[in-house]
Short mmCIF file of all heavy atoms in Angstrom, two decimals:
data_model
loop_
_atom_site.label_atom_id
_atom_site.label_comp_id
_atom_site.label_asym_id
_atom_site.label_seq_id
_atom_site.Cartn_x
_atom_site.Cartn_y
_atom_site.Cartn_z
N ARG A 33 10.67 -4.61 17.70
CA ARG A 33 10.74 -3.28 17.09
C ARG A 33 9.38 -2.97 16.47
O ARG A 33 9.01 -3.55 15.47
CB ARG A 33 11.85 -3.32 16.04
CG ARG A 33 11.80 -2.26 15.01
CD ARG A 33 12.79 -1.13 15.31
NE ARG A 33 12.54 -0.03 14.41
CZ ARG A 33 13.15 0.14 13.26
NH1 ARG A 33 14.07 -0.67 12.86
NH2 ARG A 33 12.83 1.17 12.48
N PRO A 34 8.60 -2.07 17.09
CA PRO A 34 7.24 -1.81 16.60
C PRO A 34 7.23 -1.12 15.23
O PRO A 34 8.15 -0.39 14.88
CB PRO A 34 6.65 -0.88 17.65
CG PRO A 34 7.53 -1.00 18.84
CD PRO A 34 8.89 -1.31 18.31
N LEU A 35 6.17 -1.40 14.49
CA LEU A 35 5.92 -0.75 13.20
C LEU A 35 4.86 0.31 13.40
O LEU A 35 4.05 0.23 14.34
CB LEU A 35 5.31 -1.77 12.24
CG LEU A 35 6.16 -2.88 11.67
CD1 LEU A 35 5.26 -3.78 10.81
CD2 LEU A 35 7.27 -2.27 10.82
N CYS A 36 4.81 1.25 12.47
CA CYS A 36 3.68 2.18 12.40
C CYS A 36 2.40 1.34 12.39
O CYS A 36 2.31 0.37 11.63
CB CYS A 36 3.80 2.99 11.12
SG CYS A 36 2.33 3.96 10.73
N GLY A 37 1.45 1.68 13.26
CA GLY A 37 0.17 0.96 13.29
C GLY A 37 0.11 -0.14 14.33
O GLY A 37 -0.97 -0.68 14.59
N ASP A 38 1.24 -0.48 14.92
CA ASP A 38 1.21 -1.53 15.93
C ASP A 38 0.41 -1.09 17.16
O ASP A 38 0.41 0.08 17.54
CB ASP A 38 2.64 -1.88 16.39
CG ASP A 38 3.16 -3.14 15.73
OD1 ASP A 38 2.35 -4.08 15.53
OD2 ASP A 38 4.35 -3.18 15.42
N GLN A 39 -0.25 -2.08 17.76
CA GLN A 39 -0.86 -1.86 19.07
C GLN A 39 0.12 -2.42 20.08
O GLN A 39 0.57 -3.56 19.95
CB GLN A 39 -2.20 -2.56 19.16
CG GLN A 39 -3.24 -1.81 18.34
CD GLN A 39 -4.63 -2.32 18.60
OE1 GLN A 39 -4.98 -3.40 18.16
NE2 GLN A 39 -5.41 -1.54 19.31
N ILE A 40 0.45 -1.60 21.06
CA ILE A 40 1.49 -1.99 22.02
C ILE A 40 1.01 -1.68 23.44
O ILE A 40 -0.01 -1.01 23.64
CB ILE A 40 2.83 -1.25 21.76
CG1 ILE A 40 2.64 0.27 21.88
CG2 ILE A 40 3.38 -1.58 20.38
CD1 ILE A 40 3.96 1.06 21.78
N LEU A 41 1.75 -2.20 24.41
CA LEU A 41 1.54 -1.81 25.80
C LEU A 41 2.76 -1.01 26.22
O LEU A 41 3.90 -1.39 25.90
CB LEU A 41 1.39 -3.04 26.69
CG LEU A 41 0.14 -3.87 26.46
CD1 LEU A 41 0.16 -5.14 27.33
CD2 LEU A 41 -1.13 -3.06 26.73
N VAL A 42 2.52 0.09 26.92
CA VAL A 42 3.65 0.93 27.35
C VAL A 42 3.55 1.20 28.85
O VAL A 42 2.46 1.17 29.44
CB VAL A 42 3.70 2.28 26.60
CG1 VAL A 42 3.80 2.08 25.10
CG2 VAL A 42 2.49 3.15 26.94
N SER A 43 4.70 1.44 29.45
CA SER A 43 4.71 1.91 30.83
C SER A 43 5.13 3.37 30.79
O SER A 43 5.96 3.77 29.97
CB SER A 43 5.71 1.09 31.65
OG SER A 43 6.97 1.09 31.02
N LEU A 44 4.48 4.16 31.65
CA LEU A 44 4.80 5.59 31.68
C LEU A 44 5.71 5.86 32.87
O LEU A 44 5.31 5.67 34.01
CB LEU A 44 3.51 6.41 31.83
CG LEU A 44 2.54 6.34 30.65
CD1 LEU A 44 1.26 7.11 30.97
CD2 LEU A 44 3.18 6.87 29.38
N SER A 45 6.95 6.28 32.55
CA SER A 45 7.89 6.54 33.64
C SER A 45 7.72 7.98 34.15
O SER A 45 7.51 8.22 35.32
CB SER A 45 9.31 6.29 33.17
OG SER A 45 9.49 6.86 31.89
N THR A 46 7.78 8.91 33.24
CA THR A 46 7.51 10.30 33.61
C THR A 46 6.33 10.73 32.79
O THR A 46 5.82 9.95 31.99
CB THR A 46 8.70 11.19 33.28
OG1 THR A 46 8.81 11.24 31.86
CG2 THR A 46 9.99 10.67 33.88
N LYS A 47 5.88 11.93 32.93
CA LYS A 47 4.74 12.40 32.16
C LYS A 47 5.07 12.44 30.67
O LYS A 47 4.21 12.30 29.83
CB LYS A 47 4.33 13.80 32.62
CG LYS A 47 2.99 13.77 33.35
CD LYS A 47 2.42 15.16 33.51
CE LYS A 47 0.92 15.07 33.68
NZ LYS A 47 0.29 16.36 33.81
N GLU A 48 6.34 12.65 30.38
CA GLU A 48 6.73 12.84 28.98
C GLU A 48 7.21 11.58 28.30
O GLU A 48 7.15 11.50 27.09
CB GLU A 48 7.82 13.92 28.88
CG GLU A 48 7.37 15.31 29.27
CD GLU A 48 6.15 15.76 28.47
OE1 GLU A 48 6.19 15.65 27.23
OE2 GLU A 48 5.17 16.21 29.10
N GLU A 49 7.74 10.62 29.09
CA GLU A 49 8.31 9.48 28.40
C GLU A 49 7.66 8.16 28.71
O GLU A 49 7.31 7.85 29.85
CB GLU A 49 9.82 9.38 28.63
CG GLU A 49 10.45 8.98 27.30
CD GLU A 49 11.82 8.39 27.41
OE1 GLU A 49 12.06 7.52 28.26
OE2 GLU A 49 12.64 8.80 26.59
N ALA A 50 7.49 7.38 27.66
CA ALA A 50 6.90 6.06 27.78
C ALA A 50 7.92 5.03 27.29
O ALA A 50 8.83 5.36 26.56
CB ALA A 50 5.65 5.99 26.91
N ALA A 51 7.76 3.80 27.76
CA ALA A 51 8.66 2.73 27.31
C ALA A 51 7.83 1.53 26.86
O ALA A 51 6.81 1.19 27.48
CB ALA A 51 9.61 2.33 28.44
N LEU A 52 8.29 0.91 25.80
CA LEU A 52 7.61 -0.25 25.24
C LEU A 52 7.68 -1.44 26.19
O LEU A 52 8.75 -1.77 26.70
CB LEU A 52 8.28 -0.62 23.91
CG LEU A 52 7.84 -1.95 23.27
CD1 LEU A 52 6.39 -1.87 22.82
CD2 LEU A 52 8.74 -2.29 22.09
N GLU A 53 6.54 -2.08 26.43
CA GLU A 53 6.52 -3.31 27.21
C GLU A 53 6.22 -4.52 26.33
O GLU A 53 6.80 -5.57 26.49
CB GLU A 53 5.48 -3.22 28.34
CG GLU A 53 5.78 -2.15 29.39
CD GLU A 53 7.04 -2.46 30.21
OE1 GLU A 53 7.47 -3.63 30.23
OE2 GLU A 53 7.58 -1.51 30.82
N LYS A 54 5.27 -4.34 25.38
CA LYS A 54 4.85 -5.50 24.59
C LYS A 54 4.22 -5.05 23.28
O LYS A 54 3.47 -4.07 23.26
CB LYS A 54 3.80 -6.27 25.41
CG LYS A 54 3.31 -7.52 24.74
CD LYS A 54 2.39 -8.34 25.65
CE LYS A 54 1.98 -9.62 24.97
NZ LYS A 54 0.58 -9.65 24.56
N ILE A 55 4.53 -5.77 22.22
CA ILE A 55 3.84 -5.56 20.94
C ILE A 55 2.73 -6.59 20.85
O ILE A 55 2.99 -7.79 20.96
CB ILE A 55 4.80 -5.73 19.73
CG1 ILE A 55 6.01 -4.79 19.85
CG2 ILE A 55 4.05 -5.49 18.42
CD1 ILE A 55 7.04 -4.98 18.73
N GLU A 56 1.49 -6.14 20.65
CA GLU A 56 0.37 -7.08 20.52
C GLU A 56 0.44 -7.78 19.16
O GLU A 56 1.04 -7.26 18.22
CB GLU A 56 -0.96 -6.33 20.64
CG GLU A 56 -1.14 -5.55 21.94
CD GLU A 56 -1.46 -6.42 23.16
OE1 GLU A 56 -1.30 -7.66 23.08
OE2 GLU A 56 -1.84 -5.85 24.20
N ALA A 57 -0.21 -8.94 19.08
CA ALA A 57 -0.23 -9.69 17.80
C ALA A 57 -0.81 -8.80 16.70
O ALA A 57 -1.76 -8.06 16.93
CB ALA A 57 -1.07 -10.95 17.97
N ARG A 58 -0.21 -8.90 15.52
CA ARG A 58 -0.65 -8.07 14.39
C ARG A 58 -1.75 -8.75 13.59
O ARG A 58 -1.70 -9.95 13.37
CB ARG A 58 0.54 -7.81 13.44
CG ARG A 58 1.57 -6.94 14.07
CD ARG A 58 2.83 -6.82 13.21
NE ARG A 58 3.77 -5.95 13.92
CZ ARG A 58 5.09 -6.00 13.78
NH1 ARG A 58 5.63 -6.86 12.94
NH2 ARG A 58 5.85 -5.17 14.47
N GLN A 59 -2.72 -7.94 13.13
CA GLN A 59 -3.76 -8.49 12.24
C GLN A 59 -3.24 -8.57 10.82
O GLN A 59 -3.71 -9.39 10.02
CB GLN A 59 -5.00 -7.60 12.28
CG GLN A 59 -5.85 -7.86 13.51
CD GLN A 59 -6.77 -6.69 13.83
OE1 GLN A 59 -7.01 -5.84 12.98
NE2 GLN A 59 -7.25 -6.64 15.06
N SER A 60 -2.31 -7.70 10.47
CA SER A 60 -1.73 -7.74 9.13
C SER A 60 -0.41 -7.01 9.15
O SER A 60 -0.11 -6.25 10.08
CB SER A 60 -2.66 -7.07 8.12
OG SER A 60 -2.65 -5.67 8.31
N GLU A 61 0.39 -7.26 8.11
CA GLU A 61 1.64 -6.52 7.92
C GLU A 61 1.70 -6.10 6.47
O GLU A 61 1.64 -6.95 5.58
CB GLU A 61 2.85 -7.44 8.20
CG GLU A 61 3.08 -7.73 9.66
CD GLU A 61 4.22 -8.73 9.88
OE1 GLU A 61 4.59 -9.46 8.95
OE2 GLU A 61 4.73 -8.75 11.02
N PHE A 62 1.79 -4.80 6.22
CA PHE A 62 1.97 -4.35 4.85
C PHE A 62 3.46 -4.34 4.57
O PHE A 62 4.24 -3.78 5.33
CB PHE A 62 1.38 -2.95 4.62
CG PHE A 62 1.52 -2.53 3.18
CD1 PHE A 62 0.61 -2.96 2.23
CD2 PHE A 62 2.60 -1.75 2.77
CE1 PHE A 62 0.77 -2.62 0.89
CE2 PHE A 62 2.77 -1.41 1.43
CZ PHE A 62 1.85 -1.84 0.49
N ARG A 63 3.88 -4.98 3.48
CA ARG A 63 5.30 -5.06 3.19
C ARG A 63 5.60 -4.79 1.73
O ARG A 63 4.72 -4.76 0.88
CB ARG A 63 5.86 -6.41 3.62
CG ARG A 63 5.07 -7.62 3.18
CD ARG A 63 5.62 -8.89 3.83
NE ARG A 63 4.98 -10.07 3.30
CZ ARG A 63 3.92 -10.64 3.84
NH1 ARG A 63 3.37 -10.12 4.91
NH2 ARG A 63 3.38 -11.71 3.29
N ARG A 64 6.90 -4.64 1.47
CA ARG A 64 7.38 -4.51 0.10
C ARG A 64 8.69 -5.27 0.03
O ARG A 64 9.26 -5.65 1.06
CB ARG A 64 7.60 -3.04 -0.26
CG ARG A 64 8.54 -2.33 0.68
CD ARG A 64 8.73 -0.87 0.31
NE ARG A 64 9.60 -0.76 -0.86
CZ ARG A 64 10.06 0.39 -1.32
NH1 ARG A 64 9.73 1.52 -0.73
NH2 ARG A 64 10.84 0.43 -2.36
N GLY A 65 9.18 -5.48 -1.19
CA GLY A 65 10.46 -6.14 -1.35
C GLY A 65 11.54 -5.10 -1.59
O GLY A 65 11.30 -4.10 -2.28
#
Side-chain angles (χ1 to χ4, degrees):
R33 161 100 190 267
L35 288 176
C36 169
D38 259 323
Q39 286 190 287
I40 60 174
L41 293 175
V42 302
S43 53
L44 294 176
S45 44
T46 67
K47 250 194 156 181
E48 294 305 310
E49 221 199 46
L52 171 67
E53 296 293 341
K54 182 174 183 251
I55 303 176
E56 303 285 13
R58 292 173 180 153
Q59 281 159 18
S60 72
E61 286 176 340
F62 183 82
R63 48 188 187 268
R64 56 180 285 188

